[in-house]
Amino acid sequence: MRQVRAEEYAEFAAARAGHLYRSACLLTAGDTHLAEDLVQETLGRIYVRWGRVSRVANPAGYAQTVLTRTFLAHKRLRRSGERATDVLPEVAAAGADASLRLTLLDALGRLPAKDRAVVVLRYWEDRSVQETADVLNVSSSAVRTRSVRALGRLRDLLGEDIAAYSRP
């Protein structure tokens, strides 16, 4: 029985890891190392409770909820994870949308953590207001308020002519 559950979990983790990683990258505003840590912690938490998680109606949604809550818990910590170093960071790869991606990630990074979580859940994950409220343990009106505030802040940061960012 344990072997079957372990195999089911391994299948689930392999199928969802990429999607969770992309969501975590957006939540962390492009910090890929932190995103990897969040995904690893999320999958670890799910593994511990896999017997119950495998019986819920939507294990993928549950995993996304755990990821978002793990991210918000990480943002509440008062310690700094940054360390001084004399090594320069990796250079971004050149690509057709590299500047757009960097601009959007920078703008997302300037939003407060909860506003960023609302934007990612509502517009990247395409979740409803109620689903987003359930994930964040807030009311649906709080989600709508944060959505309006976050989108307004993004417009301020990016300017009204967002189409200019998508031109080569």
Side-chain angles (χ1 to χ4, degrees), residues 5-6 8 17 25 50-51 56 63 74 79 87 92 96 106-108 116 130 144 158:
R5 282 190 181 163
E8 287 175 354
C25 283
W50 182 247
V56 299
H74 174 78
R79 62 179 172 80
V87 179
D106 179 56
L108 273 174
R116 190 177 330 148
Q130 189 57 49
R144 287 191 295 272
L158 298 172

Side-chain angles (χ1 to χ4, degrees), residues 31-82:
D31 184 344
T32 57
H33 300 293
L34 178 56
E36 289 170 354
D37 291 346
L38 290 173
V39 170
Q40 183 176 0
E41 186 170 342
T42 297
L43 291 174
R45 289 180 181 188
I46 290 172
Y47 178 76
V48 170
R49 292 181 172 76
W50 182 247
R52 282 184 265 158
V53 173
S54 64
R55 292 188 300 262
V56 299
N58 184 4
Y62 182 86
Q64 187 65 38
T65 299
V66 171
L67 174 71
T68 303
R69 289 182 180 171
T70 301
F71 164 72
L72 292 173
H74 174 78
K75 293 306 286 182
R76 281 192 296 267
L77 294 176
R78 296 288 182 198
R79 62 179 172 80
S80 174
E82 295 181 15

Side-chain angles (χ1 to χ4, degrees), residues 94-134:
D97 68 342
S99 63
L100 173 62
R101 178 188 279 305
L102 293 174
T103 301
L104 292 175
L105 287 175
D106 179 56
L108 273 174
R110 293 179 185 208
L111 294 177
K114 283 192 178 181
D115 288 354
R116 190 177 330 148
V118 166
V119 169
V120 170
L121 290 171
R122 289 280 292 128
Y123 303 105
W124 173 257
E125 294 291 326
D126 198 28
R127 291 192 180 213
S128 70
V129 171
Q130 189 57 49
E131 289 173 328
T132 303
D134 292 343

Side-chain angles (χ1 to χ4, degrees), residues 12-25 39 43 124-125:
F12 173 81
R16 295 303 303 167
H19 184 78
L20 289 171
Y21 177 71
R22 287 187 295 276
S23 294
C25 283
V39 170
L43 291 174
W124 173 257
E125 294 291 326

Side-chain angles (χ1 to χ4, degrees), residues 144-155:
R144 287 191 295 272
T145 300
R146 285 190 178 278
S147 294
V148 169
R149 182 180 12 182
L151 291 176
R153 178 78 174 126
L154 286 173
R155 281 188 201 96

